[in-house]
Amino acid sequence: LAQDGTGYVLYKVSLTLLVSNPLRGEICDMIVSEATPAGLFGRVGPVEVFVSVGQMHPSYAFVNEEPGVFVSQDPAQRDISVGDCVRVQILGVSRNDPEKIQCVAGCAEPMLGARTAM
């Protein structure tokens, strides 16, 4: 469709984009959105991620504050609370809903866990 007097041409375009494609075993930095007794919930870009307590370093214990906090008895590990950056490894990916990708992750391995701000 040409616009009169401007020299511009308008085209109708439709496309499909893949913004994020997490893979099993991939290492990502997650921003924590919620800490509960069950574990951590957060996001890696547009992807929702859950880290179970069983997939966290054993030194972490949940403290029932508002918001929740995971406190480490190990001085080498930082405490984890809402808004913190946590390096995780993707353990499983669910693509049941084409509009939403969800992952299960862990942070118990060496070099994973709470990080300084990104």
Side-chain angles (χ1 to χ4, degrees), residues 68-104:
V69 176
F70 277 92
V71 177
S72 176
Q73 275 58 45
D74 182 355
Q77 301 282 336
R78 294 184 57 228
D79 295 347
I80 301 174
S81 62
V82 173
D84 286 348
C85 178
V86 178
R87 184 156 290 162
V88 297
Q89 181 176 20
I90 304 297
L91 302 175
V93 181
S94 170
R95 291 181 172 90
N96 294 336
D97 181 358
E99 300 293 320
K100 184 192 297 185
I101 300 174
Q102 297 175 316
C103 294
V104 176

Side-chain angles (χ1 to χ4, degrees), residues 27-62:
I27 305 295
C28 304
D29 288 337
M30 173 183 89
I31 302 299
V32 177
S33 59
E34 185 178 2
T36 69
L40 299 170
F41 293 88
R43 297 187 76 79
V44 175
V47 178
E48 294 179 3
V49 179
F50 172 67
V51 179
S52 168
V53 171
Q55 296 295 333
M56 295 174 68
H57 194 276
S59 68
Y60 281 109
F62 181 75

